[in-house]
Amino acid sequence: MSDVLVTLPAEMRGELKEPMGPIFTDAERLLDAAGDPLVAVGDVVTYHLERAGVLPDVAVVDGLTKREEVADDVAEGVARLGGETREVRVENPAGTVSRGLVEALRDAISDPEPTLLVVEGEEDLVTLPAIVAAPLGASVVYGQPDEGMVLADVTDESKAEMRDLLSRMEGDSDALFEILDAA
């Protein structure tokens, strides 16, 4: 059981299309601008960081890109990280944020050991709770389909914006914030 906390309503989908920061096509440039800790959301983003020689503090992957299985080279790059990180498997259905995902994300961000969160389902919404959970000064990197990698800086403003989005989703956002705030 995935124990879904919140679900993205159809009428909010458009709000998540705009990038939450600058878009980079070069991993090295992105890394020059990134804060610490670094949270990577998505297989392709994680692959590009791994290719640039960087082990993200937290990487969240689901084996998919644009709802299709990732290419073999991407899967192999992500698998290489598995040998260098603590690996945690969680369930998270598409279009939702589950209790297991939020708890694992909170624990991974506070753990000094790099963590690979492998999601059964989809990680498409994890950027929102990741920004809420990460400390000020951190960076959350995620993919913008067909454009590049978005660098979202964790600031008081970005945390407030993500809390607002999450609170307007269907479900129990209070329970979600309780988990994230327990870090």
Side-chain angles (χ1 to χ4, degrees), residues 32-173:
D32 286 344
D36 184 46
L38 181 63
V39 179
V41 178
D43 296 70
V44 175
V45 166
T46 300
Y47 166 75
H48 284 295
L49 295 176
E50 188 269 340
R51 290 279 315 253
V54 169
L55 181 64
D57 296 283
V58 180
V60 186
V61 298
D62 62 7
L64 303 172
T65 184
K66 296 191 265 182
R67 305 225 191 300
E68 301 286 327
E69 272 191 44
V70 296
D72 289 346
D73 59 336
V74 172
E76 289 163 12
V78 169
R80 280 192 293 274
L81 286 182
E84 301 177 52
T85 62
R86 179 174 69 100
E87 189 173 305
V88 177
R89 295 187 168 272
V90 295
E91 283 184 37
N92 192 74
T96 72
V97 177
S98 70
R99 177 178 301 277
L101 176 69
V102 174
E103 289 172 347
L105 180 66
R106 175 202 62 204
D107 294 348
I109 289 171
S110 64
D111 191 333
E113 185 181 345
T115 304
L116 179 65
L117 292 181
V118 180
V119 177
E120 184 68 40
E122 282 189 13
E123 38 73 340
D124 48 345
L125 294 178
V126 79
T127 298
L128 284 67
I131 290 172
V132 174
L136 294 174
S139 290
V140 177
V141 183
Y142 68 94
Q144 187 79 3
D146 302 318
E147 291 188 52
M149 298 173 283
V150 178
L151 178 62
D153 291 321
V154 178
T155 63
D156 286 327
E157 295 78 23
S158 64
K159 283 178 172 280
E161 191 178 328
M162 295 312 108
R163 281 181 174 275
D164 175 62
L165 286 168
L166 288 163
S167 69
R168 291 187 288 121
M169 291 185 186
E170 296 168 352
D172 191 353
S173 58

